[in-house]
Amino acid sequence: MAYELRELASPDDWEAMHRIRLQVLFTAERHPELIYDRAHPHDIEPAHSKFVLMLDGAPIGTTRLDPRGEGGIVRLVAIVPQLQRQGHGSVLEALLIDYARAHGMKRLWLNAARDAVGFYEKLGWSAEVWDEQELLTFARDCVQMTKPI
């Protein structure tokens, strides 16, 4: 199996990111009140790095990394439903850490869905409130976590 964490470069990459997010993160069950914005300002912000996780040339996952101080905030992590719980998320995390380190980052933060906290704990993340404002808005149902890298 050949993995690649690829920064979005083509219209196909962008389409894959949106498709995976809609399949996994922005479903009616998870967020019935939200309307997905394909041109959200945070996604088109040049400082934010957007990725697709490729497996043997096919997009299977996505995430975004927003720089913040000495590190970055990991956002919108998703693996396609039929490939979840098979180790691909761990590979995505390891490749993202390699990218973050190569860009001088020392720490990562994320808002974990409650059902994903155990996964992140196994990878060495710790629960820690790092942005109370986010917990009052879009991350209200999440657990904030951090990991030194």
Side-chain angles (χ1 to χ4, degrees):
M1 290 195 289
Y3 288 100
E4 175 192 4
L5 186 63
R6 181 163 72 199
E7 282 193 82
L8 302 188
S10 71
D12 287 346
D13 292 342
W14 281 89
E15 188 55 39
M17 177 192 74
H18 292 307
R19 185 178 62 253
I20 294 167
R21 284 180 177 179
L22 286 166
Q23 281 182 314
V24 179
L25 302 174
F26 291 90
T27 64
E29 297 80 33
R30 287 182 70 131
H31 298 288
E33 76 286 356
L34 291 181
I35 297 173
Y36 183 69
D37 182 358
R38 295 172 69 91
H40 193 282
H42 293 168
D43 280 339
I44 58 176
E45 165 60 48
H48 297 174
S49 301
K50 287 75 63 179
F51 301 94
V52 286
L53 177 65
M54 307 295 287
L55 175 60
D56 296 331
I60 66 160
T62 186
T63 192
R64 191 178 80 216
L65 183 63
D66 301 351
R68 177 182 177 138
E70 67 174 359
I73 305 171
V74 179
R75 305 254 192 219
L76 301 161
V77 178
I79 300 292
V80 295
Q82 65 272 23
L83 295 177
Q84 291 177 4
R85 292 176 172 68
Q86 297 177 32
H88 305 294
S90 298
V91 172
L92 186 153
E93 192 247 12
L95 293 171
L96 187 63
I97 286 173
D98 290 346
Y99 175 92
R101 284 180 179 144
H103 287 81
M105 295 182 182
K106 308 269 188 248
R107 177 172 295 278
L108 296 176
W109 299 275
L110 63 80
N111 294 307
R114 295 196 181 276
D115 62 354
V117 170
F119 166 77
Y120 287 111
E121 287 175 335
K122 288 178 189 172
L123 295 175
W125 292 77
S126 302
E128 176 185 304
V129 174
W130 49 267
D131 190 324
E132 290 184 12
Q133 280 302 111
E134 288 192 13
L135 288 174
L136 296 174
T137 57
F138 63 88
R140 66 186 162 276
D141 296 324
C142 295
V143 174
Q144 291 189 328
M145 303 186 84
T146 188
K147 181 176 183 175
I149 58 168

